[in-house]
Amino acid sequence: FFSMSASACGGPIPMSGRAASARVALLAEASRRSEEPGAGSPAFPGVTPPLRLAVEPSSDRRSLVSDGQSLAPEGDANGAAASAACKPPPPSAPLLHAGHYVVLLLLNCIGAFSSDCYIPNLSDVVDDLKATDQEVSLTIQVNWYMLGFATPIVGYLSDVYGRKVVICSTLLVYVVGAVGSALAPTIGWLLAARCVQGVGESVSIITSAIIRDVVDDKQRRMRVQAYFTTMRPLMLLGGPSVGGFIGTAFGWRNLMKGLSCWGGLTILLMYFIPESNAAVLAAAAQQPGPPPANPPSAGAAPGEAEAASPPPAASPPPSASPPPSA
């Protein structure tokens, strides 16, 4: 055993049989004394007692100790537990009611409905703006392109700056594009306005993020997402039918004005939708408030409040001027 241990340390150490017996007895005595209750440092210097598994009966915690010293101090565990207890809980997601879902439904359908709702009225646009069929058809295509480009950007901004502020800002862009389309005097103006309106139509993607924020149960979240996702292709199919009826009855410009009213109404209704972005809610909760004032206690009289306040520091007396010389 000793030859093998010495070989592990660098080579065999010659040892006689009597010396080996004395070494074994020395280690046995050191091990026995270290296992005695209340034993301190070993009686034989240079001999390290073996590690023991100590159990604290009060807390049922276990740690490796050597010479009665714990290798894992309890202060670190207690400090970690205290810091975890002092850490504020994460803000909970707000609950949505039936009225909230109606507002989200309006927000979800506005993009799909607005993209091609005036397809049956393209001939009226050609006659009104003195444009060609290809130029008027291009107003739908550029709207789709801008919708596809702006959707990931709007989704990212809502993750960084919050849902409500990005929704209201994007809907404002949508209203500007819809009003510009309604007032377009030329085909070039209409093309530019439809590009702006396509950026605003990308706001519909944020409804999926809000549902993900507020619905914790996976099964219920999938059902709600399925309902909202189904409405978009329905709006793509039903938009030309409903929009064509409105455009034929009241004109395509009034149809664009109606879309602008839809966007403005949704902006107003977003006031009732709570913010659901957890990162924004946590940042708002960690912002320090204004320093609290120190008003006098409710039971103190006005005179006592004045007496409690420290007196103003007295100004030093003016130094006496030296007497004039004779």
Side-chain angles (χ1 to χ4, degrees):
F1 171 76
F2 291 104
S3 298
M4 183 174 60
S5 302
S7 300
C9 296
I13 300 176
M15 183 178 297
S16 61
R18 184 176 299 178
S21 301
R23 181 68 175 174
V24 171
L26 187 65
L27 289 175
E29 183 66 18
S31 178
R32 183 185 62 80
R33 294 203 176 196
S34 64
E35 292 178 357
E36 292 178 358
S41 59
F44 302 95
V47 179
T48 303
L51 295 177
R52 295 179 290 109
L53 185 63
V55 181
E56 299 180 8
S58 59
S59 58
D60 197 18
R61 290 193 298 259
R62 301 187 177 198
S63 60
L64 287 176
V65 295
S66 177
D67 280 347
Q69 301 290 335
S70 174
L71 297 180
E74 300 177 7
D76 297 343
N78 295 337
S83 61
C86 296
K87 185 179 180 180
S92 58
L95 297 178
L96 297 182
H97 306 290
H100 296 156
Y101 283 108
V102 171
V103 178
L104 293 180
L105 189 63
L106 294 175
L107 186 68
N108 181 70
C109 298
I110 191 172
F113 183 87
S114 305
S115 61
D116 55 358
C117 62
Y118 67 103
I119 286 181
N121 306 111
L122 292 181
S123 58
D124 298 337
V125 178
V126 171
D127 298 338
D128 193 356
L129 300 180
K130 304 298 187 290
T132 63
D133 295 338
Q134 292 77 12
E135 292 174 339
V136 175
S137 299
L138 188 61
T139 60
I140 299 178
Q141 299 176 15
V142 296
N143 179 269
W144 287 347
Y145 289 148
M146 295 306 299
L147 173 61
F149 291 149
T151 295
I153 300 175
V154 171
Y156 172 76
L157 293 177
S158 69
D159 292 336
V160 176
Y161 299 105
R163 313 296 186 206
K164 293 188 65 173
V165 62
V166 176
I167 287 176
C168 294
S169 302
T170 312
L171 282 176
L172 186 61
V173 174
Y174 173 85
V175 172
V176 172
V179 173
S181 299
L183 303 178
T186 61
I187 186 61
W189 184 295
L190 181 60
L191 284 170
R194 288 290 291 172
C195 289
V196 175
Q197 190 176 3
V199 174
E201 291 170 4
S202 61
V203 71
S204 299
I205 194 62
I206 306 182
T207 56
S208 301
I210 295 177
I211 296 171
R212 184 191 62 212
D213 294 339
V214 300
V215 182
D216 296 330
D217 184 64
K218 293 184 179 180
Q219 298 295 332
R220 183 168 178 266
R221 185 193 310 163
M222 292 177 62
R223 289 196 300 269
V224 176
Q225 289 279 20
Y227 296 151
F228 277 82
T229 306
T230 306
M231 292 303 300
R232 294 174 187 172
L234 290 180
M235 288 296 104
L236 287 174
L237 296 175
S241 302
V242 179
F245 174 78
I246 297 176
T248 303
F250 304 100
W252 70 273
R253 293 184 183 272
N254 290 326
L255 174 61
M256 294 298 175
K257 293 178 182 178
L259 295 179
S260 65
C261 295
W262 186 353
L265 178 63
T266 310
I267 293 177
L268 297 179
L269 293 178
M270 280 304 300
Y271 173 79
F272 302 99
I273 300 296
E275 177 61 50
S276 61
N277 192 327
V280 175
L281 293 176
Q286 293 177 359
Q287 288 181 356
N294 296 325
S297 59
E304 296 178 359
E306 296 177 0
S309 60
S315 59
S319 59
S321 61
S325 57

